[in-house]
Amino acid sequence: MKVVTRFAPSPTGYLHIGGARTALFNWLFARRYEGQFLLRIEDTDKKRSTSEAVDKIFSGLKWLGIESDKPALFQSDNSTRHIEIANKLLKQEKAYRCFCSLEELTEMRKKARSEGKTRLYDRRCRDHKPTASDLTRPSSIRIKMPKENETLINDLVQGEIKVTNDNLDDFIIIRPDGTPTYMLAVVVDDHDMGITHIIRGDDHLNNAIRQLHLFHACEWDTPKLAHIPLIHGHDGTKLSKRDGALGIDSYAEMGILSEAMNNYLLRLGWSHGDEEIISTKKAIKWFNLDAVGRAPSRFDMEKLLNLNTHYLRNSSNKDLVSYVIPILSKLMESEVSSIAADRIERGMPGLKQRSKTIVELAQNSLIYSKETPILIQKNAAEHLNTQSISLLSSLHQNMANMRKWDQDSLEKIVRTTATENNIKLKQIAQPLRVALTGSTISPSIFEVMEVFGKKETLNRLKTVIKV
RNA sequence: GUCCCCUUCGUCUAGUGGCCUAGGACAACGGCCUCUCACGCCGUAAACACGGGUUCGAGUCCCGUAGGGGACGCCA
């Protein structure tokens, strides 16, 4: 049997971390077994669904590299089919019309709760034959849940779960306004789409038990279930779609690489021995549901950053330049010149060694982007005094005659100049750094000089010496 | 309140009855390297929630307690 999985978010907000991981697991599982991964937008609640949210889900998934094998399906497009199924169940007396008002239901819930019951609807309409006058009033359709015995589900992640059927409410499948509810829609759509494995957050575990009975009522095969634990915030509080968790796009804006996010999300709740750095290729080869943990895990930015550092360093210089330029031009409030872009690319080996995020990389790239005359930072200025300036002056003389202009030769000449003047390398390297970059922090000063080239380097030195 | 689920270093996790004196990674701390900042390298500290069983033997199986989470909508 070919594996078919789906990611089915509701378009009521952005794509959050938990949703992204659910999508990733579904996608990986489908790829692993050479099956299909589908996307379905659960927009049965029209009031809360927005097209902005749909766009955010699409862009978030695209950023992660998770692609649906078919065009996304909008659940609301299938409502005719959902209603058809509900009517069929009604005819078969597996479902019934409920004429209770919202007030009545609230009252029932209050009562049941005070009595310590799990089931909150008292089923007063279940065995009531609707009269002609009943039928003039609005009604919802409820599904009949079994009254006796227990329901057992064998979840691929959570194991065996047992519930006494008396706890199960006859839930509404069609609202009084005639629209289908989520509970009906998921079941019908999962069946129609041929979903073989439902992988979703374990906040749906309780629903799974109810939905199972709907599958039975329809006389359909039930997909295999896998309920993965939720992701919590760093402080242990809930981090899911209904609260203020950050959208996946925020992480992109922070300068996180999608490879790092994928790797991080994968390792959150899933493991393969001691493996930490896992490429998508390996993930597809290794991913399985048995290795998904059952306990919720906390989101840890530090670890994400560590992974990001790793992937950033392994990215090509060219790619990194293309990521950095837009951020850089925002920082400088001007276009990034082609000279600057070229310098950044050549200086990338040193820059990427010093950055955890793309944003940081852009900030570090500023030293190569600014035109002369450069601004000397306040705390850096103290490195330029009469003594150090005279050192830079003799260095300038020594360097002016150089023919080969690479890191090694530059290091040699700076060291020689230091020895000549009876000082430590440090004492000339810092003033040199300040003179060239305006900052006390930069990649190796020899690398910086190579990147700037002879002309620009000597030019910048001269500016400082003259003053 | 009721129902369901979960519980190994601060965090993510390895562990499927003897290989556990509990391993790895991130973070922390110390050192080395060093032209600044980083990187890198070496090292240190750090956990089986608790209580009962089962067993020759339990982190691993069972029960209970505590703590945490989820669900209880005409939301998804």
Side-chain angles (χ1 to χ4, degrees):
Chain A
M1 184 178 62
K2 194 168 132 191
V3 164
V4 184
T5 64
R6 49 52 159 201
F7 175 55
S10 60
T12 50
Y14 31 61
L15 179 64
H16 60 102
I17 291 284
R21 187 182 59 160
T22 304
L24 178 67
F25 281 16
N26 274 287
W27 182 79
L28 246 20
F29 189 76
R31 288 289 168 275
R32 159 79 199 262
Y33 294 103
E34 293 172 352
Q36 273 194 324
F37 167 77
L38 308 177
L39 182 60
R40 184 175 73 223
I41 305 295
E42 312 237 305
D43 56 349
T44 44
D45 186 357
K46 291 243 176 63
K47 278 171 248 156
R48 304 200 317 149
S49 304
T50 66
S51 64
E52 292 80 47
V54 173
D55 292 343
K56 286 219 166 189
I57 289 165
F58 286 161
S59 66
L61 291 176
K62 194 180 171 193
W63 180 67
L64 288 166
I66 297 173
E67 286 185 357
S68 173
D69 292 317
K70 282 185 189 170
L73 200 138
F74 286 78
Q75 195 154 54
S76 58
D77 290 344
N78 289 350
S79 57
T80 316
R81 165 76 172 150
H82 303 148
I83 292 163
E84 175 197 322
I85 296 295
N87 284 330
K88 196 172 159 192
L89 293 172
L90 197 59
K91 205 177 240 172
Q92 292 175 142
E93 296 188 348
K94 288 173 179 171
Y96 60 93
R97 287 199 181 276
C98 170
F99 300 91
C100 298
S101 66
L102 280 170
E103 292 72 35
E104 281 176 281
L105 291 171
T106 317
E107 201 52 45
M108 262 181 254
R109 256 176 231 130
K110 227 166 119 188
K111 183 165 175 272
R113 222 162 166 140
S114 71
E115 287 169 359
K117 283 183 182 158
T118 309
R119 187 159 53 73
L120 303 177
Y121 175 62
D122 68 9
R123 293 173 168 165
R124 61 179 63 165
C125 298
R126 181 160 165 148
D127 299 312
H128 171 74
K129 262 240 153 19
T131 62
S133 81
D134 280 340
L135 291 171
T136 60
R137 289 189 292 141
S139 63
S140 58
I141 300 179
R142 287 180 186 270
I143 178 82
K144 289 182 184 171
M145 286 286 119
K147 288 177 167 171
E148 276 133 29
N149 301 323
E150 22 187 51
T151 304
L152 189 80
I153 64 175
N154 208 323
D155 192 271
L156 262 23
V157 170
Q158 302 292 344
E160 276 193 0
I161 286 134
K162 205 164 61 177
V163 168
T164 308
N165 287 340
D166 188 48
N167 290 322
L168 269 29
D169 247 324
D170 290 348
F171 56 89
I172 290 178
I173 55 176
I174 299 286
R175 301 184 183 102
D177 67 1
T179 58
T181 61
Y182 155 83
M183 288 293 256
L184 205 220
V186 242
V187 169
V188 175
D189 288 347
D190 280 338
H191 171 263
D192 288 358
M193 290 163 81
I195 303 299
T196 59
H197 297 259
I198 296 175
I199 305 169
R200 54 166 37 156
D202 74 5
D203 49 339
H204 284 285
L205 197 52
N206 285 283
N207 290 336
I209 292 156
R210 287 142 220 264
Q211 287 161 13
L212 198 71
H213 288 290
L214 241 184
F215 273 106
H216 291 334
C218 296
E219 292 164 33
W220 291 335
D221 287 340
T222 53
K224 297 234 183 300
L225 300 168
H227 287 90
I228 61 177
L230 266 21
I231 300 174
H232 290 171
H234 191 72
D235 54 359
T237 55
K238 194 181 169 190
L239 190 151
S240 76
K241 61 184 163 189
R242 290 179 197 84
D243 65 23
L246 287 178
I248 202 87
D249 50 341
S250 309
Y251 293 94
E253 275 168 33
M254 280 179 215
I256 300 295
L257 259 13
S258 64
E259 296 100 302
M261 184 53 92
N262 273 315
N263 195 151
Y264 178 71
L265 254 21
L266 177 65
R267 278 290 287 105
L268 208 56
W270 178 86
S271 61
H272 185 81
D274 286 338
E275 298 287 339
E276 296 288 346
I277 304 293
I278 306 167
S279 66
T280 301
K281 205 175 155 191
K282 275 186 187 167
I284 289 171
K285 202 165 142 197
W286 291 339
F287 188 76
N288 62 343
L289 261 11
D290 319 326
V292 176
R294 293 196 278 177
S297 41
R298 295 181 181 202
F299 180 78
D300 182 14
M301 193 64 195
E302 293 300 329
K303 190 139 185 174
L304 209 207
L305 283 174
N306 176 269
L307 247 10
N308 203 52
T309 308
H310 173 267
Y311 283 98
L312 196 144
R313 262 184 236 159
N314 284 284
S315 298
S316 76
N317 296 340
K318 244 196 172 68
D319 285 348
L320 291 175
V321 172
S322 70
Y323 301 152
V324 155
I325 299 253
I327 303 173
L328 205 50
S329 64
K330 240 183 230 168
L331 282 176
M332 302 200 307
E333 297 175 338
S334 72
E335 293 273 300
V336 178
S337 70
S338 62
I339 295 174
D342 177 62
R343 280 180 192 154
I344 293 166
E345 185 170 344
R346 284 185 295 115
M348 198 50 90
L351 291 173
K352 66 181 175 186
Q353 202 74 4
R354 290 164 173 77
S355 314
K356 286 187 196 302
T357 67
I358 299 295
V359 172
E360 225 179 290
L361 188 66
Q363 280 157 353
N364 291 339
S365 302
L366 279 170
I367 56 161
Y368 291 132
S369 321
K370 290 177 181 159
E371 308 287 340
T372 44
I374 54 162
L375 187 78
I376 308 284
Q377 283 173 18
K378 219 176 169 192
N379 65 329
E382 63 194 45
H383 288 274
L384 298 177
N385 48 41
T386 34
Q387 201 203 346
S388 65
I389 286 174
S390 91
L391 279 169
L392 292 179
S393 172
S394 55
L395 180 64
H396 183 278
Q397 273 177 17
N398 289 346
M399 291 199 301
N401 301 320
M402 287 178 74
R403 259 175 284 153
K404 211 171 155 205
W405 192 268
D406 60 26
Q407 287 190 54
D408 287 348
S409 327
L410 286 161
E411 176 160 0
K412 222 170 266 170
I413 205 144
V414 174
R415 282 187 189 277
T416 308
T417 309
T419 313
E420 280 170 4
N421 288 279
N422 233 340
I423 53 155
K424 286 182 178 167
L425 178 61
K426 195 179 191 161
Q427 290 169 274
I428 190 165
Q430 268 314 71
L432 181 57
R433 187 185 320 281
V434 172
L436 297 177
T437 68
S439 161
T440 55
I441 298 167
S442 85
S444 157
I445 197 60
F446 312 117
E447 182 182 358
V448 170
M449 287 194 284
E450 185 184 304
V451 168
F452 276 136
K454 187 173 179 179
K455 200 179 155 197
E456 180 72 15
T457 301
L458 293 180
N459 195 20
R460 290 190 179 208
L461 268 185
K462 204 152 210 172
T463 316
V464 170
I465 295 163
K466 270 185 188 160
V467 176

